[in-house]
Amino acid sequence: MTRVERLARDAGLTAPRRYHVDWDRAESALGVRLPSDYKEYVYWFGPGGFDEYLIVCVPGVANSNTELAAHLAQERRNARVRAGVTGSAPRVPLVPEPSGWLPWGFTTGGDGLYWVTAGDDPDRWTIAGRPGRGSDLARFGGGFAAFLHAFIWDTVDMPFIAEAEGDVPVSFDPDAGEWLGGAGQRLEPYGFFASS
């Protein structure tokens, strides 16, 4: 059983949701290769999040708020606006900067979660976070699947990540990745769930 399969079992999935993505297209849009545990996660979990709190972005969905490349583009726009208003440097260096941070998720409290893209092997990237308010950045010593495992077992050691409000392990909240209106925009989806 792989780490992602264990994560899925612990989060309440009994089988993969079988979400498929054109990874060449996704990685081309980002300008980097992505970690293999993330790709396996996307197949098993697809769009969605945990505890109505932590949202994981995936490629190819219609919702620009949760589509991986669109989320990176929005982070870049926000950094430019902030720099224009305050004259300060970005809070975190974003991809394609050397060792730039690549956003992969966020909390409903506005906290950001990132891969730190140091080195040529994405399977060795670590996780970092920044709070929605304040400036204290935090690092997690492991990769994507290890972080999510710590999250669902309520053992993440980042001061701005809230403790689980419900049962532990925290269950997965599936989503279809649709754009439901409001903030953001509707994208042309290219990810899909395999039919039975």
Side-chain angles (χ1 to χ4, degrees):
M1 182 179 288
T2 69
R3 176 174 266 184
V4 171
E5 289 172 330
R6 279 192 300 276
L7 177 68
R9 180 200 61 206
D10 293 349
L13 292 179
T14 57
R17 294 181 69 211
R18 301 184 337 156
Y19 186 75
H20 293 272
V21 172
D22 177 344
W23 288 110
D24 289 336
R25 177 176 177 174
E27 291 173 331
S28 178
L30 296 165
V32 294
R33 289 182 307 119
L34 292 166
S36 58
D37 62 350
Y38 174 73
K39 292 177 181 180
E40 185 180 2
Y41 169 89
V42 168
Y43 174 76
W44 267 85
F45 287 79
F50 298 87
D51 206 21
E52 297 180 2
Y53 172 71
L54 180 115
I55 309 302
V56 177
C57 297
V58 297
V61 296
N63 184 347
S64 68
N65 298 305
T66 59
E67 202 282 333
L68 190 63
H71 190 65
L72 171 61
Q74 184 61 47
E75 287 256 351
R76 288 177 178 154
R77 285 191 294 275
N78 292 347
R80 283 193 301 273
V81 168
R82 184 174 179 270
V85 170
T86 66
S88 60
R91 292 172 72 182
V92 298
L94 294 172
V95 163
E97 296 294 323
S99 298
W101 291 20
L102 175 59
W104 60 260
F106 57 92
T107 70
T108 54
D111 310 308
L113 295 163
Y114 304 81
W115 284 291
V116 179
T117 66
D120 293 333
D121 183 359
D123 291 333
R124 297 179 63 84
W125 292 349
T126 58
I127 302 300
R130 62 135 191 87
R133 290 184 169 74
S135 58
D136 295 335
L137 304 176
R139 298 207 180 229
F140 178 81
F144 177 79
F147 178 87
L148 287 180
H149 186 265
F151 179 81
I152 69 166
W153 286 102
D154 202 21
T155 61
V156 172
D157 188 20
M158 287 185 173
F160 48 84
I161 298 293
E163 291 183 18
E165 293 185 10
D167 294 335
V168 173
V170 173
S171 63
F172 178 70
D173 303 317
D175 185 317
E178 298 170 340
W179 182 64
L180 304 173
Q185 62 183 350
R186 185 188 188 287
L187 303 174
E188 188 61 39
Y190 65 89
F192 62 93
F193 289 101
S195 57
S196 300

